[in-house]
Amino acid sequence: MAEKKQNTASVVWQLAEPLAKALGLVLWDVRFLKEGTEWYLRVVIDKPGGVSIDDCVAMSQALDAPLDEADPIDRSYSLQVQSPGLERELTRDFHFAQFLGADVTVRFIRAQDGRREYKGRLLDYADGTVTVACDDGATRVFDKKEASWIKLDDFGGF
């Protein structure tokens, strides 16, 4: 059986995670995406108390040589190292586990009961299934793939 080729973000994750740990950081996410005509490799880092510009610079410098050596990207791109920000997007299993009980905003790909966006409290996450107690009083259970994004709602509304 042929070995499945890893995508760029997975390869970069494997390079970046031990570097982040060595710097006292948590690797939050890695994304390789095209915006307009430009390609971006976004490495998102976190740490208790927040990320400083010095943390971003240190991670960028630590990642530079391993990226050049592994050469996982066959096109021109810009490397961006950043914090997840206040309204951080929850994408990975450990994100959901870390923020059970937190306020979230969910944007669905298709409208659910006439709405595409709901606010509520993250009640559970298991095997890609998300449970949110929504602001409309309903508890929604859905597959993570049904959502365009799920973000922390650190502002508690508008």
Side-chain angles (χ1 to χ4, degrees):
M1 185 191 285
E3 188 176 318
K4 183 181 175 190
K5 186 174 188 248
Q6 290 185 304
N7 69 32
T8 300
S10 296
V11 171
V12 173
W13 183 282
Q14 290 173 0
L15 292 171
E17 189 171 36
L19 299 171
K21 284 181 181 176
L23 293 169
L25 303 168
V26 174
L27 185 59
W28 182 262
D29 206 357
V30 175
R31 294 191 179 175
F32 185 60
L33 47 102
K34 188 175 184 181
E35 292 180 357
T37 60
E38 303 296 318
W39 283 90
Y40 295 92
L41 176 59
R42 292 208 175 103
V43 176
V44 184
I45 56 173
D46 198 14
K47 74 175 184 186
V51 173
S52 70
I53 190 71
D54 291 336
D55 294 321
C56 293
V57 169
M59 184 67 193
S60 180
Q61 290 173 344
L63 193 53
D64 200 30
L67 271 176
D68 285 347
E69 185 177 320
D71 197 20
I73 302 171
D74 63 355
R75 59 181 46 98
S76 177
Y77 67 93
S78 294
L79 172 63
Q80 297 178 334
V81 177
Q82 63 192 51
S83 80
L86 281 177
E87 293 180 296
R88 65 186 63 212
E89 187 172 353
L90 307 180
T91 57
R92 299 182 181 270
D93 292 349
F94 80 91
H95 298 165
F96 291 92
Q98 182 177 342
F99 288 102
L100 286 176
D103 291 334
V104 295
T105 301
V106 180
R107 162 84 44 95
F108 286 99
I109 295 168
R110 290 177 189 76
Q112 308 265 320
D113 296 327
R115 291 172 54 189
R116 285 190 57 216
E117 194 168 296
Y118 287 89
K119 293 180 182 287
R121 187 164 308 270
L122 179 61
L123 297 180
D124 193 28
Y125 178 82
D127 300 321
T129 300
V130 183
T131 305
V132 176
C134 295
D135 58 356
D136 64 357
T139 297
R140 291 202 154 48
V141 179
F142 57 93
D143 190 299
K144 181 174 72 168
K145 293 176 184 173
E146 295 176 47
S148 297
W149 47 255
I150 302 167
K151 296 180 180 180
L152 287 186
D153 182 12
D154 288 339
F155 301 106
F158 299 108

